[in-house]
Amino acid sequence: MKLDFQVGTSKKAHKVMGKLAGRTDDDKAPKNEKAPFEKMSDAYLFGLVLGLSKGQKVDSISNRINYANFSSIEGDLDIYSMIKLFGDKDDLSDKDTIKNAIEAYATWGLLHIDENYNYGDDDYRLAEIFTNE
Amino acid sequence: MIHINIQNLELTNFGSYRGTHKFDFSTSTGRMGYAIFGEIGRGKTTLINSLLWALYGEVETSVELEGRIYTKKRPIIDSAQTQNDFSKKWNLPLLNFAAYEEKDYTMSVSIKFEHKGSTFHLLREAKSRTPRPRKNSDIAVQPHLSIDGRTVSAQLIQPEIEEIIPQKISKFFFVEVDSIKSYSALLFAGESSGGIVEDIEAILGMPALEHSKNDFVWLSEYQQKSIESIQTTDKRNKSILRTLEGIDKRIDSIRRDIDLIGKDIDKQTKRIEEIDLELEEHPSAEEQLDRLKRAKENKSKLETTLKDSYDRRRSLISKDAWKILLQPKISHLSSHYSELSKKKELKSKTLTELELSCNHAELEINKGGAECKVCGNISEGLSKKEREAKADDLITNRQIAVDLKAEIELFGTPEHDLVSLSSFRDSRDSSQIETLEDLISRTTMDLFDTKEKIKSINVELEKADVLKVRELQAEKIACIELRGSLKDERKAASRAESDDVEERVKTASNLKTDETATPAMTKLTKTKKIADWLTNTFDKTLSTYKKNARISVEKLATEAWLSMTPEPEKYRGVKINERWQTEVLSSNGKSLPIGNPGHRQTLAVCIFDGLRKTSGRKFPTFYDNPGSNISDVVLQKMAKHFWDNTDDQIVMLSHGGGLRKQNTMDLYGNKLAKAWELSYSSENTTTSVKEVIQ
């Protein structure tokens, strides 16, 4: 089932997503070469899967910012099946719950990365994220 | 005849020698051969350097780079020691590194030797002026000399040493492989190098003879002037005197020029010395620039590695790394769904069996004695009571089947879920990302250190004043070039002066003398004639001496060559021309090409031997690893040549590849006065000295 709706995240997580993709506050500045992701959408997807794999999502999203149509993030993947397999049962009740679940997982994942794997100066070390329970 | 015998040598904290080490050369055997064995780096060359430092207060070192030989003075301490960075350093400090580390800044060399029946004790010591010396100027060097216990005043020490063994000729007695190399190149290059002829004439004592001759030239000229002053009164001489006056003016003018040029040469020499001293104060500037260049190159390499590592990591993480996150959960869910699937299958089987049993019971109830379509049994028919009981069971079983169905429904579709899970399975792990991040962390640290290093070098450089050093170096080169051209100018002026003096002598011979002027004139003419005779005699003697000296060196070098070469029958000997260019003659008298570096070095050693013996100076001679290109056979023959019947102290220092200890001791042990072995001490790389027992 293809998911075709706008997704977003909290203002804070949106900023993290930018940092993870090497964006700085100054649009004219060059991309941060230390960034671990090519694009913001890669970071969003990673955050979402991280939340799903840990079974963690935020309760609510403060200062929500619309980010993109989910189809551009999902690409050829089947995120619906992924949520069905790894998410909560209630996540798939209807279109709204699916959207909310996606945003809640992704937001938790992005904030978790920034809190635990940012070594300062927007230099992230992500290897441990794959081994830490 | 100058004859010197070293009694003992004592070194403290000099080069690789940590603490005090003694070499006792005294012997009652009458033998004069000495051997010092040690692998490369164990302190053999340092031993020679210690003697040079004790005698002249300085040690030079050479390095051959791209075919050119560069020479630098070695400092007592320098920045390399304070910064613990000896990379790219070839003029290493003299003070022992371990001593510096342990804040022991005293270095000294003491030599006791016999000369003219007296005992000379020369001590040169270096002491720090500050608690933590950092540069050479922080060290004070003081020589002490006593002769038979009487102290020689400080300002007379160096002239006294120069009289015994002038620094200029020391290279013929302290023979280092490098100096042999440079000499062998000069001797056979076919160039009339002023430098080498000057050195050779110095060891043969020719400058002193030239000085004496010049005294007589001056005396003759003086007498001539006095004669001419009398002859001026004779009218017949008027026109000749006018010519002489013109020549004299020219000669005076040339001499003034020569004098001025000489002053300019002295000025340039003084300036070169001043620049050298100033450069000593900034010894590290060029090295700092070199370090800065290397640090910047390293920084650039690290930055490239870092960027490359970040790029590779980004590519790995952005491309499906999220799948790795899911793998632990996939494993867990797979087992869970497999279990569910098994349970569901079991329940489904039970349900099928129950449903069959219900169908069979229904048939039995409804059609007594009929054939069951399911199991094929033929019932004989049931009684009413039996049918009622069966119906009750059927009702119960039907309910159980409904409940079982509901239970199965609750299992969902685990078999489908397992298929779905497999689409998210992935075999990669995070090890590549881990390796890259390790590299990133290490490179980041290294880069930080390198940036800090660059900062500190820049701070040092500010102090070192690089521009000043470059200016000084450029000025020094300009001074050396100017001094060279001034010397050429002086030579040309001297030639012009000689021509004018000759012309003057010819012109003056035409002067007529008034007989009435006699007694004074007779006396003056007589004195002049004596001075002229002495000048000519000296000239002839000098010329004969030079020729004889050359023949003597040629003869002695031939003897040495024939005793050192493995096939002496192939050679007639060594030939030296008036410009000290050397060739080797074959047995039939033909000039042979000596292209092999080992042959050239052996030949240079032979010329040195001839020069030393001809000079009549019997000073101890040290051969440090004579010629890295010289074969073992030649080295053995060389040792035999030097140690056989010598009445000068001959010390040969040898590494394992040349004169091997055991072999040398077996062959020549009975000719040697003493032998030592140098090695590293057990704790570190400082020299340890052990006398070899014969």
Side-chain angles (χ1 to χ4, degrees):
Chain A
M1 183 182 173
K2 297 311 284 181
L3 304 171
D4 186 13
F5 42 70
Q6 282 292 120
V7 287
T9 183
S10 71
K11 191 179 175 185
K12 194 176 171 190
H14 190 271
K15 201 174 173 186
V16 171
M17 189 163 52
K19 287 197 289 184
L20 287 168
R23 299 270 175 91
T24 55
D25 290 338
D26 180 2
D27 285 345
K28 287 175 189 168
K31 269 182 80 168
N32 177 11
E33 289 182 344
K34 297 173 183 174
F37 293 96
E38 300 277 5
K39 297 177 285 185
M40 284 170 78
S41 57
D42 294 333
Y44 193 90
L45 178 64
F46 195 89
L48 164 63
V49 177
L50 180 64
L52 265 175
S53 69
K54 305 284 179 196
Q56 298 284 348
K57 49 188 173 183
V58 291
D59 297 333
S60 62
I61 295 172
S62 55
N63 299 317
R64 186 183 174 281
I65 292 177
N66 237 355
Y67 164 53
N69 190 297
F70 192 68
S71 58
S72 66
I73 299 166
E74 188 179 28
D76 297 334
L77 300 168
D78 183 0
I79 300 293
Y80 181 86
S81 299
M82 201 190 287
I83 297 172
K84 191 179 163 198
L85 282 168
F86 305 108
D88 293 340
K89 275 183 186 167
D90 301 342
D91 292 342
L92 301 173
S93 304
D94 55 40
K95 198 177 165 183
D96 274 349
T97 56
I98 297 172
K99 178 179 167 288
N100 290 340
I102 286 172
E103 290 186 348
Y105 285 126
T107 304
W108 182 88
L110 290 167
L111 295 176
H112 182 74
I113 292 171
D114 198 49
E115 278 163 23
N116 298 283
Y117 301 97
N118 187 346
Y119 274 43
D121 200 19
D122 295 341
D123 189 9
Y124 293 86
R125 295 282 185 280
L126 298 182
E128 284 183 5
I129 219 169
F130 300 100
T131 47
N132 284 351
E133 282 302 314
Chain B
M1 176 78 75
I2 293 174
H3 198 158
I4 290 155
N5 271 335
I6 294 183
Q7 297 301 305
N8 64 53
L9 168 68
E10 198 172 297
L11 299 81
T12 302
N13 295 337
F14 192 95
S16 56
Y17 293 78
R18 171 75 177 111
T20 301
H21 298 267
K22 287 179 191 173
F23 290 85
D24 183 1
F25 286 84
S26 61
T27 172
S28 55
T29 59
R31 297 172 192 164
M32 302 299 258
Y34 297 85
I36 298 177
F37 305 102
E39 292 302 321
I40 290 165
R42 302 309 195 265
K44 298 184 301 298
T45 307
T46 306
L47 191 80
I48 290 189
N49 285 338
S50 75
L51 284 156
L52 287 168
W53 187 74
L55 289 166
Y56 311 111
E58 60 181 38
V59 174
E60 283 185 344
T61 185
S62 300
V63 68
E64 195 175 339
L65 299 169
E66 293 164 355
R68 276 186 65 190
I69 292 170
Y70 295 86
T71 301
K72 262 188 178 183
K73 277 182 194 167
R74 287 179 63 179
I76 294 172
I77 63 162
D78 83 348
S79 55
Q81 216 153 3
T82 55
Q83 290 162 10
N84 203 15
D85 180 7
F86 291 101
S87 57
K88 286 203 174 180
K89 267 265 169 187
W90 54 272
N91 63 329
L92 293 173
L94 294 172
L95 177 66
N96 180 270
F97 303 150
Y100 182 86
E101 287 295 314
E102 289 157 33
K103 296 180 181 166
D104 179 358
Y105 307 123
T106 306
M107 181 182 92
S108 67
V109 179
S110 141
I111 317 172
K112 204 177 261 186
F113 57 92
E114 299 289 326
H115 174 48
K116 290 180 186 168
S118 296
T119 303
F120 285 62
H121 184 192
L122 173 66
L123 166 71
R124 194 177 294 268
E125 55 183 354
K127 282 181 179 169
S128 177
R129 298 178 210 267
T130 64
R132 183 75 176 160
R134 296 194 173 277
K135 49 189 190 298
N136 222 22
S137 55
D138 294 338
I139 300 284
V141 179
Q142 186 66 51
H144 308 274
L145 176 67
S146 69
I147 304 172
D148 290 332
R150 280 175 285 107
T151 305
V152 175
S153 70
Q155 67 269 31
L156 292 177
I157 294 174
Q158 228 43 59
E160 187 77 43
I161 292 168
E162 275 295 317
E163 199 183 311
I164 299 167
I165 176 165
Q167 188 172 9
K168 199 173 177 56
I169 67 165
S170 63
K171 56 176 73 72
F172 295 102
F173 298 93
F174 301 100
V175 186
E176 274 190 71
V177 71
D178 284 341
S179 73
I180 285 194
K181 269 186 187 167
S182 59
Y183 262 72
S184 64
L186 286 167
L187 275 168
F188 312 111
E191 296 167 8
S192 57
S193 162
I196 188 161
V197 174
E198 222 174 87
D199 288 352
I200 288 169
E201 290 189 345
I203 187 177
L204 295 173
M206 286 168 190
L209 294 172
E210 291 275 4
H211 278 305
S212 304
K213 188 193 101 175
N214 290 340
D215 288 346
F216 293 119
V217 170
W218 176 85
L219 184 64
S220 169
E221 282 176 14
Y222 181 76
Q223 298 305 320
Q224 179 64 30
K225 289 271 167 70
S226 306
I227 291 166
E228 283 167 16
S229 68
I230 296 170
Q231 288 167 332
T232 47
T233 51
D234 195 325
K235 284 177 186 171
R236 290 169 299 172
N237 290 332
K238 210 172 176 181
S239 106
I240 298 170
L241 284 168
R242 264 205 304 276
T243 311
L244 283 176
E245 203 179 328
I247 297 171
D248 282 346
K249 275 184 185 164
R250 281 208 312 267
I251 292 173
D252 281 349
S253 156
I254 292 171
R255 283 182 178 164
R256 271 198 304 276
D257 284 350
I258 290 174
D259 201 34
L260 285 174
I261 295 169
K263 278 178 185 162
D264 278 350
I265 290 171
D266 290 346
K267 213 165 120 184
Q268 295 308 321
T269 305
K270 201 179 163 203
R271 183 62 195 137
I272 291 166
E273 282 169 5
E274 280 169 5
I275 292 171
D276 278 341
L277 281 175
E278 281 185 67
L279 284 171
E280 290 251 320
E281 290 299 308
H282 305 277
S284 59
E286 283 303 291
E287 284 138 26
Q288 296 285 22
L289 278 176
D290 217 35
R291 283 180 70 218
L292 185 66
K293 192 180 154 204
R294 277 181 284 136
K296 281 184 175 171
E297 281 168 3
N298 190 32
K299 179 176 164 260
S300 162
K301 266 188 208 164
L302 290 170
E303 280 170 345
T304 308
T305 307
L306 199 57
K307 186 180 178 305
D308 187 44
S309 306
Y310 274 121
D311 286 351
R312 282 168 60 204
R313 182 186 71 154
R314 189 179 312 116
S315 149
L316 279 173
I317 290 181
S318 296
K319 195 183 169 191
D320 300 346
W322 55 265
K323 283 187 180 171
I324 307 169
L325 293 170
L326 292 176
Q327 299 316 305
K329 202 148 188 178
I330 289 174
S331 299
H332 172 73
L333 286 174
S334 287
S335 353
H336 174 65
Y337 287 136
S338 296
E339 209 176 310
L340 280 184
S341 181
K342 274 181 201 162
K343 280 183 184 168
K344 187 182 170 186
E345 205 182 318
L346 209 65
K347 295 265 180 192
S348 299
K349 201 178 163 190
T350 311
L351 177 66
T352 309
E353 282 169 4
L354 191 63
E355 280 177 336
L356 282 174
S357 155
C358 287
N359 288 344
H360 184 79
E362 204 169 24
L363 282 172
E364 276 185 326
I365 294 162
N366 293 334
K367 294 173 183 175
E371 186 186 346
C372 176
K373 283 177 187 171
V374 178
C375 65
N377 287 338
I378 299 168
S379 60
E380 290 173 2
L382 298 172
S383 63
K384 191 186 172 192
K385 200 177 174 184
E386 280 173 331
R387 280 204 299 275
E388 279 170 5
K390 281 253 180 208
D392 286 345
D393 286 349
L394 184 62
I395 291 164
T396 310
N397 283 340
R398 289 271 186 224
Q399 187 53 51
I400 291 170
V402 169
D403 292 346
L404 207 53
K405 251 186 201 167
E407 215 178 307
I408 289 167
E409 284 277 311
L410 281 176
F411 280 114
T413 54
E415 60 285 353
H416 289 136
D417 291 337
L418 278 171
V419 174
S420 293
L421 273 179
S422 68
S423 70
F424 293 105
R425 277 198 185 280
D426 199 273
S427 60
R428 83 194 76 181
D429 61 19
S430 59
S431 60
Q432 268 186 294
I433 296 170
E434 209 171 313
T435 309
L436 278 172
E437 289 196 345
D438 275 351
L439 181 62
I440 287 170
S441 296
R442 273 187 281 116
T443 314
T444 306
M445 297 270 282
D446 289 348
L447 188 60
F448 176 80
D449 289 346
T450 307
K451 283 177 181 172
E452 287 299 304
K453 194 175 176 182
I454 289 172
K455 267 190 215 165
S456 78
I457 296 172
N458 278 324
V459 171
E460 284 292 319
L461 273 173
E462 274 174 33
K463 285 187 218 157
D465 196 353
V466 183
L467 281 177
K468 174 83 179 162
V469 170
R470 284 191 177 152
E471 272 171 24
L472 285 170
Q473 281 169 338
E475 193 190 343
K476 186 179 169 183
I477 291 167
C479 285
I480 290 169
E481 282 171 358
L482 179 58
R483 188 173 61 176
S485 60
L486 284 169
K487 279 184 180 174
D488 288 344
E489 218 177 292
R490 186 167 64 178
K491 266 185 199 166
S494 296
R495 275 196 299 273
E497 185 202 4
S498 298
D499 291 348
D500 280 345
V501 168
E502 210 175 305
E503 193 188 335
R504 193 186 192 290
V505 171
K506 266 188 196 167
T507 312
S509 66
N510 295 325
L511 286 170
K512 293 177 176 59
T513 308
D514 186 349
E515 294 303 320
T516 56
T518 327
M521 189 58 131
T522 311
K523 196 181 169 193
L524 284 169
T525 311
K526 243 185 200 171
T527 317
K528 184 182 179 300
K529 272 184 182 168
I530 292 168
D532 284 345
W533 178 82
L534 281 168
T535 306
N536 286 335
T537 308
F538 246 94
D539 226 8
K540 277 182 197 160
T541 310
L542 189 58
S543 166
T544 310
Y545 177 76
K546 273 186 186 176
K547 193 180 165 193
N548 288 344
R550 191 163 45 80
I551 290 167
S552 164
V553 174
E554 199 175 82
K555 187 171 165 275
L556 291 162
T558 295
E559 277 174 26
W561 175 260
L562 294 178
S563 74
M564 287 180 201
T565 187
E567 294 164 305
E569 66 282 359
K570 285 189 176 176
Y571 304 100
R572 179 177 290 178
V574 176
K575 184 138 186 63
I576 301 169
N577 72 13
E578 284 158 4
R579 290 154 71 197
W580 290 94
Q581 288 166 342
T582 307
E583 57 186 336
V584 172
L585 301 179
S586 69
S587 55
N588 59 11
K590 281 187 179 169
S591 176
L592 288 172
I594 302 289
N596 180 294
H599 280 175
R600 284 170 171 240
Q601 287 175 6
T602 308
L603 194 48
V605 168
C606 294
I607 303 287
F608 275 35
D609 193 40
L611 284 168
R612 266 198 330 273
K613 286 176 179 163
T614 304
S615 77
R617 289 173 189 268
K618 293 190 161 296
F619 198 86
T621 304
F622 288 75
Y623 272 99
D624 176 22
N625 180 21
S628 45
N629 297 307
I630 298 175
S631 72
D632 287 2
V633 181
V634 175
L635 279 176
Q636 289 293 347
K637 284 178 153 271
M638 201 180 273
K640 187 175 186 309
H641 173 82
F642 286 130
W643 286 332
D644 260 347
N645 309 316
T646 178
D647 53 358
D648 308 334
Q649 286 179 316
I650 301 275
V651 187
M652 290 194 74
L653 299 100
S654 172
H655 65 81
L659 295 170
R660 287 176 189 87
K661 187 181 89 181
Q662 198 52 54
N663 193 23
T664 305
M665 291 307 287
D666 289 347
L667 287 169
Y668 307 109
N670 59 354
K671 295 183 195 299
L672 294 177
K674 279 188 181 172
W676 293 272
E677 186 174 15
L678 308 181
S679 57
Y680 282 152
S681 67
S682 52
E683 305 89 50
N684 50 38
T685 53
T686 57
T687 299
S688 171
V689 183
K690 196 175 87 184
E691 194 173 332
V692 178
I693 309 294
Q694 290 172 40

PDB file of all heavy atoms in Angstrom, chain B residues 116 147 158 294 362 368 479 487 546 551 616 660:
ATOM      1  N   LYS B 116     108.240  17.411  22.611  1.00  0.00           N
ATOM      2  CA  LYS B 116     109.535  18.041  22.935  1.00  0.00           C
ATOM      3  C   LYS B 116     109.959  17.710  24.364  1.00  0.00           C
ATOM      4  O   LYS B 116     110.404  18.597  25.109  1.00  0.00           O
ATOM      5  CB  LYS B 116     109.427  19.570  22.793  1.00  0.00           C
ATOM      6  CG  LYS B 116     109.294  20.064  21.363  1.00  0.00           C
ATOM      7  CD  LYS B 116     109.212  21.571  21.413  1.00  0.00           C
ATOM      8  CE  LYS B 116     108.945  22.183  20.063  1.00  0.00           C
ATOM      9  NZ  LYS B 116     108.582  23.589  20.148  1.00  0.00           N
ATOM     10  N   ILE B 147     101.730  22.941  30.508  1.00  0.00           N
ATOM     11  CA  ILE B 147     102.916  22.240  29.995  1.00  0.00           C
ATOM     12  C   ILE B 147     103.803  21.939  31.205  1.00  0.00           C
ATOM     13  O   ILE B 147     104.226  22.860  31.914  1.00  0.00           O
ATOM     14  CB  ILE B 147     103.662  23.116  28.966  1.00  0.00           C
ATOM     15  CG1 ILE B 147     102.710  23.520  27.827  1.00  0.00           C
ATOM     16  CG2 ILE B 147     104.885  22.377  28.422  1.00  0.00           C
ATOM     17  CD1 ILE B 147     103.267  24.539  26.862  1.00  0.00           C
ATOM     18  N   GLN B 158      95.611  28.821  21.934  1.00  0.00           N
ATOM     19  CA  GLN B 158      95.351  28.477  20.534  1.00  0.00           C
ATOM     20  C   GLN B 158      96.611  28.631  19.665  1.00  0.00           C
ATOM     21  O   GLN B 158      96.906  27.732  18.861  1.00  0.00           O
ATOM     22  CB  GLN B 158      94.178  29.312  20.004  1.00  0.00           C
ATOM     23  CG  GLN B 158      93.109  28.508  19.256  1.00  0.00           C
ATOM     24  CD  GLN B 158      92.708  27.189  19.873  1.00  0.00           C
ATOM     25  OE1 GLN B 158      92.244  27.132  21.002  1.00  0.00           O
ATOM     26  NE2 GLN B 158      92.913  26.094  19.139  1.00  0.00           N
ATOM     27  N   ARG B 294      56.684  20.268   6.272  1.00  0.00           N
ATOM     28  CA  ARG B 294      56.280  18.867   6.460  1.00  0.00           C
ATOM     29  C   ARG B 294      54.960  18.772   7.225  1.00  0.00           C
ATOM     30  O   ARG B 294      54.105  17.961   6.889  1.00  0.00           O
ATOM     31  CB  ARG B 294      57.382  18.098   7.190  1.00  0.00           C
ATOM     32  CG  ARG B 294      58.464  17.625   6.232  1.00  0.00           C
ATOM     33  CD  ARG B 294      59.527  16.862   6.954  1.00  0.00           C
ATOM     34  NE  ARG B 294      60.403  17.752   7.701  1.00  0.00           N
ATOM     35  CZ  ARG B 294      60.825  17.549   8.925  1.00  0.00           C
ATOM     36  NH1 ARG B 294      60.448  16.504   9.589  1.00  0.00           N
ATOM     37  NH2 ARG B 294      61.623  18.409   9.510  1.00  0.00           N
ATOM     38  N   GLU B 362     -23.228 -37.519  12.845  1.00  0.00           N
ATOM     39  CA  GLU B 362     -24.503 -37.040  12.286  1.00  0.00           C
ATOM     40  C   GLU B 362     -25.132 -38.117  11.391  1.00  0.00           C
ATOM     41  O   GLU B 362     -26.335 -38.390  11.459  1.00  0.00           O
ATOM     42  CB  GLU B 362     -24.222 -35.771  11.450  1.00  0.00           C
ATOM     43  CG  GLU B 362     -25.427 -34.894  11.330  1.00  0.00           C
ATOM     44  CD  GLU B 362     -25.067 -33.536  10.731  1.00  0.00           C
ATOM     45  OE1 GLU B 362     -24.026 -33.425  10.004  1.00  0.00           O
ATOM     46  OE2 GLU B 362     -25.803 -32.571  10.992  1.00  0.00           O
ATOM     47  N   GLY B 368     -29.678 -44.987  10.601  1.00  0.00           N
ATOM     48  CA  GLY B 368     -29.251 -46.206  11.284  1.00  0.00           C
ATOM     49  C   GLY B 368     -29.046 -47.338  10.289  1.00  0.00           C
ATOM     50  O   GLY B 368     -29.861 -47.561   9.398  1.00  0.00           O
ATOM     51  N   CYS B 479      79.068  37.690   0.055  1.00  0.00           N
ATOM     52  CA  CYS B 479      80.405  37.975   0.613  1.00  0.00           C
ATOM     53  C   CYS B 479      81.427  36.976   0.105  1.00  0.00           C
ATOM     54  O   CYS B 479      82.544  37.345  -0.264  1.00  0.00           O
ATOM     55  CB  CYS B 479      80.370  37.905   2.136  1.00  0.00           C
ATOM     56  SG  CYS B 479      79.602  39.315   2.899  1.00  0.00           S
ATOM     57  N   LYS B 487      90.040  38.029  -4.537  1.00  0.00           N
ATOM     58  CA  LYS B 487      91.266  37.230  -4.545  1.00  0.00           C
ATOM     59  C   LYS B 487      91.825  37.136  -5.974  1.00  0.00           C
ATOM     60  O   LYS B 487      93.025  37.224  -6.177  1.00  0.00           O
ATOM     61  CB  LYS B 487      90.996  35.832  -3.978  1.00  0.00           C
ATOM     62  CG  LYS B 487      90.996  35.793  -2.467  1.00  0.00           C
ATOM     63  CD  LYS B 487      90.818  34.376  -1.953  1.00  0.00           C
ATOM     64  CE  LYS B 487      90.830  34.353  -0.430  1.00  0.00           C
ATOM     65  NZ  LYS B 487      90.524  33.033   0.111  1.00  0.00           N
ATOM     66  N   LYS B 546     110.288  21.949  -3.385  1.00  0.00           N
ATOM     67  CA  LYS B 546     108.959  21.553  -3.872  1.00  0.00           C
ATOM     68  C   LYS B 546     109.078  20.285  -4.707  1.00  0.00           C
ATOM     69  O   LYS B 546     108.307  19.348  -4.557  1.00  0.00           O
ATOM     70  CB  LYS B 546     108.353  22.660  -4.742  1.00  0.00           C
ATOM     71  CG  LYS B 546     107.592  23.702  -3.970  1.00  0.00           C
ATOM     72  CD  LYS B 546     106.910  24.653  -4.921  1.00  0.00           C
ATOM     73  CE  LYS B 546     106.254  25.798  -4.178  1.00  0.00           C
ATOM     74  NZ  LYS B 546     105.671  26.781  -5.056  1.00  0.00           N
ATOM     75  N   ILE B 551     108.611  14.525  -5.186  1.00  0.00           N
ATOM     76  CA  ILE B 551     109.216  13.215  -5.500  1.00  0.00           C
ATOM     77  C   ILE B 551     109.108  12.294  -4.273  1.00  0.00           C
ATOM     78  O   ILE B 551     108.793  11.109  -4.387  1.00  0.00           O
ATOM     79  CB  ILE B 551     110.691  13.381  -5.942  1.00  0.00           C
ATOM     80  CG1 ILE B 551     110.713  14.046  -7.320  1.00  0.00           C
ATOM     81  CG2 ILE B 551     111.425  12.048  -5.978  1.00  0.00           C
ATOM     82  CD1 ILE B 551     112.072  14.549  -7.768  1.00  0.00           C
ATOM     83  N   GLY B 616     107.435  15.441   7.917  1.00  0.00           N
ATOM     84  CA  GLY B 616     108.263  15.262   9.097  1.00  0.00           C
ATOM     85  C   GLY B 616     107.499  15.451  10.394  1.00  0.00           C
ATOM     86  O   GLY B 616     108.086  15.397  11.478  1.00  0.00           O
ATOM     87  N   ARG B 660      87.483  -6.751  10.702  1.00  0.00           N
ATOM     88  CA  ARG B 660      86.694  -7.426  11.737  1.00  0.00           C
ATOM     89  C   ARG B 660      87.586  -7.715  12.943  1.00  0.00           C
ATOM     90  O   ARG B 660      88.760  -8.036  12.786  1.00  0.00           O
ATOM     91  CB  ARG B 660      86.097  -8.714  11.190  1.00  0.00           C
ATOM     92  CG  ARG B 660      84.963  -8.436  10.236  1.00  0.00           C
ATOM     93  CD  ARG B 660      84.419  -9.696   9.606  1.00  0.00           C
ATOM     94  NE  ARG B 660      83.495  -9.320   8.544  1.00  0.00           N
ATOM     95  CZ  ARG B 660      83.877  -9.066   7.297  1.00  0.00           C
ATOM     96  NH1 ARG B 660      85.141  -9.170   6.980  1.00  0.00           N
ATOM     97  NH2 ARG B 660      82.999  -8.711   6.387  1.00  0.00           N
TER      98      ARG B 660
END
